[in-house]
């Protein structure tokens, strides 16, 4: 599995856009990039998955450059309820194909 | 809403007791996982299963054991609980063809 590196923490304010970059220099050709969100005392929740260029859903956007050695999760106009830990995972597109190993994640604190 | 359930949500138990943490999912997923997470710390994969009669150890060594006799059920057992086992235990499942894994609400175990 490709190793991922994310910032340990980020602070932001309500209404701002938050961008979290994940480095995955050893990503394999068949690997996808998946992001999860975890609130305190809860299990992680799937946010978004992508392979290249840009993916957008109702929650976030995922930007992946051509070399795929990094990716950026973008949370538009965050609110206090977006305070959580965000995990970047790299592996098989289908979760069932992975061991599903989580790293340390990025702790995002949204301030009023 | 994910159909994966963990019981109990909270458990306080004395040292030396045998305990079983229950995890059930009604989505027909083949892959199931157990994670251990201390407050504010990383999620550590301790066990996973590809399907019935399949169990594998995860990345973090654990004294717990698991079984997978039925697709929907993946219980975790500690034969003799110790204070070092105090932690949150999270169960997850993923299905063929799906990008995401679904997590239960977790069991917070305290061994006194």
């Amino acid at each position: 599995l490709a190793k991922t590196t994310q910032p340990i923490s980020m602070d932001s304010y309500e209404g701002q856009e938050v961008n979290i970059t994940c480095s995955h220099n050893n990503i394999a050709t068949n690997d996808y990039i998946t992001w999860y969100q975890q609130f305190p005392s809860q299990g992680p929740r799937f946010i978004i998955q992508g392979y290249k260029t840009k993916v957008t859903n109702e929650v976030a956007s995922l930007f992946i450059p051509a070399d795929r050695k990094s990716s950026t999760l973008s949370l538009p106009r965050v609110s206090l309820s977006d305070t959580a830990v965000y995990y970047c995972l790299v592996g098989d597109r289908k979760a069932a194909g992975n061991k599903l190993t989580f790293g340390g994640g990025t702790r995002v604190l949204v301030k009023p | 809403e994910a159909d994966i359930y963990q019981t109990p949500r909270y458990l306080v138990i004395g040292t030396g007791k045998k305990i079983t943490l229950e995890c059930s999912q009604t989505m027909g997923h083949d892959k199931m996982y157990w994670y251990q997470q201390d407050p504010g710390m990383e999620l550590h994969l301790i066990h996973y299963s590809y399907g019935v009669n399949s169990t594998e150890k995860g990345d973090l060594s654990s004294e717990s054991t698991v079984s997978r006799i039925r697709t929907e059920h993946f219980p975790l057992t500690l034969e003799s609980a110790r204070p070092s086992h105090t932690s949150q235990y999270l169960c997850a499942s993923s299905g063929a063809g799906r990008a995401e894994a679904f997590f239960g609400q977790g069991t917070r175990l305290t061994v006194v």
Side-chain angles (χ1 to χ4, degrees):
Chain A
L1 288 175
K3 179 178 168 56
T4 60
T5 304
Q6 306 174 232
I8 293 173
S9 64
M10 299 178 70
D11 288 358
S12 183
Y13 291 92
E14 281 190 292
Q16 289 188 336
E17 179 181 78
V18 171
N19 295 306
I20 309 170
T21 297
C22 178
S23 297
H24 27 79
N25 290 318
N26 296 323
I27 189 168
T29 302
N30 296 331
D31 285 341
Y32 280 69
I33 300 137
T34 309
W35 286 81
Y36 284 79
Q37 173 191 56
Q38 185 182 26
F39 297 116
S41 300
Q42 294 186 26
R45 182 176 70 111
F46 172 88
I47 301 175
I48 197 167
Q49 185 183 73
Y51 183 81
K52 62 180 179 181
T53 62
K54 178 184 174 183
V55 180
T56 298
N57 62 21
E58 64 277 6
V59 176
S61 294
L62 179 59
F63 298 92
I64 306 166
D67 66 4
R68 301 197 334 117
K69 293 184 183 299
S70 67
S71 58
T72 300
L73 176 73
S74 180
L75 306 172
R77 298 180 298 283
V78 293
S79 63
L80 297 176
S81 62
D82 292 315
T83 292
V85 179
Y86 293 83
Y87 297 95
C88 167
L89 282 72
V90 171
D92 192 290
R93 177 172 191 259
K94 301 174 180 55
N98 293 327
K99 279 173 59 178
L100 215 60
T101 299
F102 287 76
T106 298
R107 192 172 301 275
V108 172
L109 174 62
V110 180
K111 302 175 183 178
Chain B
E1 198 68 29
D3 295 321
I4 180 165
Y5 308 100
Q6 290 186 242
T7 56
R9 286 293 310 278
Y10 304 92
L11 178 62
V12 180
I13 201 160
T15 298
K17 299 291 186 184
K18 177 181 178 178
I19 59 170
T20 296
L21 307 185
E22 302 288 348
C23 176
S24 295
Q25 50 95 6
T26 59
M27 297 173 282
H29 288 170
D30 288 325
K31 195 94 176 274
M32 296 189 74
Y33 319 76
W34 274 104
Y35 294 85
Q36 183 175 344
Q37 185 177 37
D38 293 327
M41 305 298 284
E42 281 188 40
L43 272 162
H44 293 288
L45 179 67
I46 53 175
H47 299 283
Y48 60 103
S49 166
Y50 287 107
V52 171
N53 295 325
S54 152
T55 60
E56 303 283 346
K57 291 194 178 295
D59 302 318
L60 180 68
S61 176
S62 174
E63 294 170 345
S64 60
T65 60
V66 293
S67 62
R68 191 87 184 276
I69 298 171
R70 302 197 318 261
T71 297
E72 62 272 21
H73 196 212
F74 191 40
L76 180 146
T77 298
L78 277 165
E79 291 292 334
S80 179
R82 294 207 300 268
S84 61
H85 296 140
T86 294
S87 190
Q88 174 160 258
Y89 293 84
L90 287 157
C91 180
S93 72
S94 59
R98 297 295 300 267
E100 69 268 49
F102 296 92
F103 281 78
Q105 290 283 70
T107 294
R108 187 166 297 280
L109 173 66
T110 302
V111 184
V112 298

